[in-house]
Each structure stands twice: as structure tokens, then as C-alpha cells.
Amino acid sequence: MSTQVTLVASDLDRTLVYSAAALDLPMPDAEAPRLLCVEIYGHKPLSYVTETAGALLEALGASTVFVPTTTRTREQYHRIHLPGPAARYAICANGGHILVDGISDRDWQRQVAARLADECASLAEVRAHLVAASDPAWLLKERIAEDLFAYLVVERSLLPEGWVKELADWADGRGWTVSLQGRKIYAVPKPLTKSAAMNEVARRCGATLTLAAGDSLLDADLLLAADRSWRPAHGELADSGWTAPNVEVLGETGIAAGEEILRRFIGAAGAERRR
């Protein structure tokens, strides 16, 4: 009898974990859920899950191969401490790194580097264009992540209408994609995907079912690659109305969506075990 192995690849920010600004708590204060801080930055609390979500994460980690899947750098990812067993695998830098017990897999690094060199313009060219096209009036920070991709931190209210689309059109012809998430504008090489990394982890662990969740355009390929996927009613994908046959659109927004996503993961994994 074959063993059923469910792999769960989930985005983190605004999918499972939420900053204070992204919590979206519409209920009266006295009815708000208790929160559990899962990230400290600059000696201050930064990201949260609900206590209920914390218990669900523990159950999920005990019954599936749970793979946190994020655009965060390795350093940023290691700031997050989720309830439940430590994840054996994690995907960072939008698929640029597969962590195995916290250490980046060198074979995967080499594969990624070869694809980027063959298939798209250099990071140096894209970074130079980003800086030249930006206006100090609304540009707050410019950063390189893991020597793989670039992003800007901007003042959204001052960002000119159409600027992101113009950047996306320029980048598209050079093998790069652009995504606006909150105050950050990401420029990411097209071969650098969460889905490719998820497929590699699924191969390694012999997954018989893959589940995924995410809220941004950088998650779209991950959601498409999984057997079943979910997205919340907020974020870039919701704003654009994006969906697909294997993607279920949830009605919840904010931290309540994080809870519901975990319930869906656990339900689907349980159904797979009962088959």
C-alpha cells in the first residue's frame, strides 16, 4: 500500500502571517481574536497569527510536509517563528533558495544561477534601470535581495499612475516580472519561481498531493502548480480578479483568511489520508 504524502507550500506575508497594518479586524475590539506574535524586528513585534491559527499550524506540521514559501530573504525568513514542528524544508527568495533544515541547498543554488544566466537580463541592468527611472520624491529605499532580484520601497500615495505598468512592460522584454505589494515594488527574473522550488521539494519528499496558498502575483505560478490552491479575498490576485480551475477564492480577508487557509489545508490533507 502506497504512503500518502501531502506537501503544503504556503506564502507567508498576508497569507499566513500579518503585520498590524494588514490584520483587518472589522469586529468590535472586545470580540477581536487573541493574537500570537511570530516575528520580532528591531526589538518590536512585527507579524502575527491568531492563537487559533497557531493551533492549526501545529496540527498541519504534524500531518503534512509543511513548506513555508516566501519572497523573503533567508535572513528575513529566519525572523519568523511559527508554532508547530520546525519545517524541514523552506523556500526563500521567491524560489532562489531551498532550505533543508535551515541550510540553503547548493545544488539548487547552482541550478537557479544557470537558468538566470541563460534566460534573462542581468540583475545589474535591471537595478540600474530601476534607480534611473525612480523619483526621490516617492522612493524611500532601493534594495537587492540575495543577489537574485531587486525591490523598491515607495510612498504609494505619491507613486505616479502608470509607472508600475511602464516598468513591467520594460522588464517583460528582458525576462523579468514586476509586482507591487504594499509599499514594495519587486523586479524578479521570470525563471525565479516558487513553483519550480515547490516541484523540487515535492520530488524529494515523494509528495502524492500538493496544496498551496498565496495572495500576490508572485504566488500565481505556485497556485497553478499545486493540485489544489487557495487565495484570500485581499491582495494583488484579488484586486485583479485572478483565479484558475484549481484555485478556490476565499471570502475572508486579513488574518481571518490565514485561519481559513489553514483549515482548508488540514481538511484536504485529511481527505487524502482517508483515500
Side-chain angles (χ1 to χ4, degrees):
M1 179 172 146
S2 62
T3 301
Q4 305 294 329
V5 177
T6 298
L7 182 148
V8 175
S10 182
D11 176 50
L12 295 177
D13 295 282
R14 301 191 77 213
T15 298
L16 292 188
V17 307
Y18 291 80
S19 67
L23 290 174
D24 189 12
L25 299 172
M27 70 289 290
D29 290 347
E31 299 174 15
R34 284 166 59 99
L35 301 179
L36 175 66
C37 179
V38 295
E39 180 183 16
I40 302 293
Y41 181 59
H43 309 289
K44 298 178 181 178
L46 181 61
S47 298
Y48 304 85
V49 299
T50 65
E51 285 195 345
T52 298
L56 293 169
L57 278 163
E58 291 188 12
L60 185 71
S63 61
T64 70
V65 179
F66 173 56
V67 184
T69 305
T70 180
T71 304
R72 285 177 175 235
T73 64
R74 287 169 289 176
E75 179 183 2
Q76 292 166 338
Y77 165 71
H78 283 304
R79 293 200 307 252
I80 291 185
H81 300 285
L82 295 174
R88 171 83 196 281
Y89 296 100
I91 295 167
C92 294
N94 212 63
H97 290 278
I98 293 175
L99 306 189
V100 184
D101 294 327
I103 305 300
S104 184
D105 185 272
R106 292 190 177 182
D107 287 340
W108 182 251
Q109 285 185 45
R110 285 191 286 268
Q111 291 180 48
V112 168
R115 287 199 65 191
L116 298 188
D118 289 343
E119 299 177 29
C120 51
S122 70
L123 174 61
E125 178 185 347
V126 173
R127 181 185 190 183
H129 180 84
L130 280 174
V131 173
S134 300
D135 187 332
W138 46 261
L139 178 63
L140 303 178
K141 297 177 185 176
E142 177 264 331
R143 295 287 186 269
I144 295 297
E146 301 271 20
D147 289 324
L148 291 169
F149 62 91
Y151 65 92
L152 307 177
V153 182
V154 303
E155 180 56 62
R156 281 285 295 268
S157 63
L158 300 178
L159 189 64
E161 184 177 354
W163 190 88
V164 174
K165 184 180 185 307
E166 290 178 9
L167 176 63
D169 290 343
W170 178 89
D172 184 63
R174 290 160 178 81
W176 287 62
T177 189
V178 169
S179 175
L180 175 62
Q181 300 181 39
R183 296 193 307 157
K184 292 182 178 179
I185 300 172
Y186 290 92
V188 178
K190 289 182 181 180
L192 192 68
T193 63
K194 293 178 178 179
S195 60
M198 181 197 73
N199 287 335
E200 174 63 15
V201 176
R203 182 190 67 79
R204 295 185 187 191
C205 67
T208 55
L209 176 71
T210 53
L211 309 175
D215 70 292
S216 80
L217 291 174
L218 290 175
D219 296 316
D221 68 281
L222 175 70
L223 304 190
L224 288 171
D227 295 315
R228 295 185 63 187
S229 300
W230 292 266
R231 74 158 174 82
H234 64 250
E236 278 184 308
L237 297 179
D239 292 344
S240 66
W242 183 91
T243 189
N246 68 318
V247 178
E248 185 174 348
V249 178
L250 301 179
E252 292 82 1
T253 61
I255 202 165
E259 264 191 31
E260 184 59 24
I261 286 167
L262 290 166
R263 291 190 185 95
R264 301 301 178 97
F265 284 154
I266 291 170
E272 175 73 359
R273 288 195 300 275
R274 292 189 293 272
R275 285 181 56 190

